Amino acid sequence: MYNLEYIKTVHLEVTSRCQASCPMCSRNIQGGVDNPWIVLDEITLEKFKKWFSVEILKDLDRIYMCGNTGDPIIAKDTLEIFQYIRQSNNNIKLGMNTNGSARNEDWWIDLAKLDIDVRFGIDGLLDTHSLYRVGTDWKKIIENASAFINAGGNAIWDMLVFDHNKHQIEECKLLSEKLGFKNFNAKHTSRFRENVLTVLTKEGKTSHNIYPSDKSDYLKKTLDNYDISLNREINCKVLKDKSIYVNSQGYVIPCCWLDTHSMYPMHKSKIDITDRDINFLSLKTHNLLDIFKNKIFDKVSDTWQSKPLLECSKQCGKIDKFNLQF
């Protein structure tokens, strides 16, 4: 089912590092305390050129930088990697997800020249944004986004909605339009495991509490009563998008949800992957062609015929024709 010629999109985690301490990110524990299981690594321009030749890039339709734990703007060579991709394929679609709270305005202006879509995670206004995006600077984000937009960049404002900022959705939307953002999205997280999230300081002490929005509370209750072990049809999004995920350690994985190399300690749906002896390969030790010849991706899709991987069921499973995606 999977082969290298089939792939048209690459989701790239260029780094596992980030200057922020968002309390629901697996890179830290409730915001302040570093997760000792996370492997800090990043993809340099040299590595990327070795792993992705001009010939490979010419066959791709899209590359976007996001990932599970890091922010692309923290990686040393992010701009240079994007420049190399654009020089190799003038028609490829480029994208990036970021908190936007790093680099100077010149860097953002140079990025805008590459015809790239950038999603800025801006969770409210000056008084609310940093309650979740701990360690970021709202004013700097707006300055960077404005520099990017004014230089011709395509920007999208993604707002995570919580109880503390839900009253600002419309005001944020209006501000996004005023600044020139191409689109605005209000998103409700499903990551709450309790009715309150206690944010910790670097010393492990309580900083403040975050409460879910009404919709996030509904998603939490849905998850609480959601049996991901049910055998059901899998509507795989990345298979439809002809996409692969490459994490900061170079592991090539069908999607970011199946990454078991940088998400410890893991939930049972991640442990299920290793229990079934599905171990992905890294570009540090294998090339892309050899990885696909290994047929490890087919071991994932083969599970869909009888007992799908728990993570596949959780993210892309169907129950009564209703696709539950979290």
Side-chain angles (χ1 to χ4, degrees):
M1 185 177 293
Y2 285 97
N3 59 69
L4 183 55
E5 292 72 25
Y6 178 82
I7 299 302
K8 293 300 177 184
T9 297
V10 174
H11 173 189
L12 186 69
E13 180 185 58
V14 72
T15 182
S16 55
R17 296 178 172 87
C18 186
Q19 89 285 27
S21 298
C22 302
M24 287 180 178
C25 177
S26 60
R27 198 177 48 78
N28 55 68
I29 301 171
Q30 294 177 236
V33 183
D34 292 339
N35 187 337
W37 291 100
I38 296 298
V39 178
L40 295 179
D41 205 347
E42 99 178 22
I43 299 172
T44 63
L45 177 61
E46 181 182 6
K47 288 179 186 176
F48 187 82
K49 284 184 173 181
K50 181 180 179 182
W51 298 345
F52 293 91
S53 65
V54 172
E55 289 71 24
I56 290 175
L57 293 177
K58 283 182 177 179
D59 286 336
L60 295 176
D61 294 335
R62 182 183 180 221
I63 292 181
Y64 66 101
M65 293 187 188
C66 185
N68 284 325
T69 62
D71 193 301
I73 60 177
I74 300 302
K76 179 175 70 72
D77 293 338
T78 290
L79 177 62
E80 290 75 15
I81 290 173
F82 274 131
Q83 289 171 336
Y84 166 67
I85 298 169
R86 176 58 72 213
Q87 290 164 4
S88 302
N89 184 344
N90 194 48
N91 297 315
I92 195 169
K93 293 181 179 179
L94 299 178
M96 182 176 79
N97 291 50
T98 179
N99 63 55
S101 185
R103 302 290 187 172
N104 58 35
E105 292 185 20
D106 288 341
W107 189 91
W108 287 98
I109 291 170
D110 287 341
L111 187 69
K113 297 174 183 176
L114 300 176
D115 186 20
I116 178 173
D117 295 332
V118 175
R119 291 182 173 273
F120 289 84
I122 310 175
D123 301 338
L125 301 173
L126 178 61
D127 60 329
T128 59
H129 166 80
S130 296
L131 291 176
Y132 179 73
R133 301 277 176 173
V134 177
T136 66
D137 184 329
W138 188 87
K139 289 183 178 179
K140 183 171 182 60
I141 297 166
I142 297 301
E143 290 171 359
N144 288 340
S146 297
F148 177 74
I149 291 167
N150 293 335
N154 301 313
I156 300 98
W157 181 319
D158 283 346
M159 176 182 177
L160 282 178
V161 181
F162 302 95
D163 185 65
H164 64 260
N165 65 0
K166 62 184 180 182
H167 62 289
Q168 295 178 334
I169 294 176
E170 187 60 29
E171 192 173 352
C172 287
K173 185 176 186 295
L174 291 173
L175 179 59
S176 74
E177 294 170 353
K178 179 180 178 180
L179 294 174
F181 281 84
K182 299 296 184 183
N183 205 351
F184 174 87
N185 299 307
K187 303 163 67 176
H188 299 260
T189 178
S190 64
R191 294 189 180 185
F192 277 93
R193 293 296 174 264
E194 304 293 339
N195 294 323
V196 59
L197 172 66
T198 299
V199 181
L200 302 178
T201 66
K202 289 294 182 183
E203 296 74 32
K205 298 180 179 179
T206 298
S207 172
H208 58 278
N209 291 327
I210 292 179
Y211 298 90
S213 65
D214 294 339
K215 188 170 183 179
S216 285
D217 188 53
Y218 166 77
L219 289 172
K220 176 192 174 300
K221 291 176 181 176
T222 301
L223 278 172
D224 288 343
N225 297 289
Y226 183 57
D227 185 358
I228 61 174
S229 67
L230 292 175
N231 182 19
R232 57 186 171 276
E233 179 185 350
I234 301 298
N235 182 22
C236 179
K237 181 180 185 298
V238 296
L239 188 60
K240 180 176 63 177
D241 293 344
K242 300 180 179 180
S243 174
I244 57 170
Y245 174 65
V246 179
N247 78 4
S248 61
Q249 301 171 67
Y251 284 99
V252 181
I253 305 166
C255 69
C256 63
W257 298 109
L258 299 184
D259 186 359
T260 59
H261 297 277
S262 60
M263 300 291 288
Y264 296 93
M266 298 183 296
H267 299 297
K268 64 180 181 180
S269 59
K270 296 292 178 66
I271 296 173
D272 174 57
I273 299 169
T274 53
D275 282 348
R276 300 213 213 175
D277 195 30
I278 297 178
N279 298 298
F280 301 106
L281 302 175
S282 173
L283 289 166
K284 290 181 179 179
T285 53
H286 300 75
N287 62 42
L288 269 174
L289 184 59
D290 287 341
I291 289 174
F292 279 96
K293 284 181 178 179
N294 186 269
K295 300 292 185 181
I296 190 67
F297 283 26
D298 289 332
K299 286 187 76 170
V300 172
S301 57
D302 286 348
T303 71
W304 304 341
Q305 306 307 314
S306 57
K307 187 179 179 183
L309 289 175
L310 292 178
E311 193 66 26
C312 293
S313 293
K314 178 182 176 183
Q315 303 301 336
C316 295
K318 283 188 174 183
I319 298 180
D320 297 330
K321 299 182 180 180
F322 179 65
N323 199 11
L324 287 174
Q325 294 192 339
F326 300 103

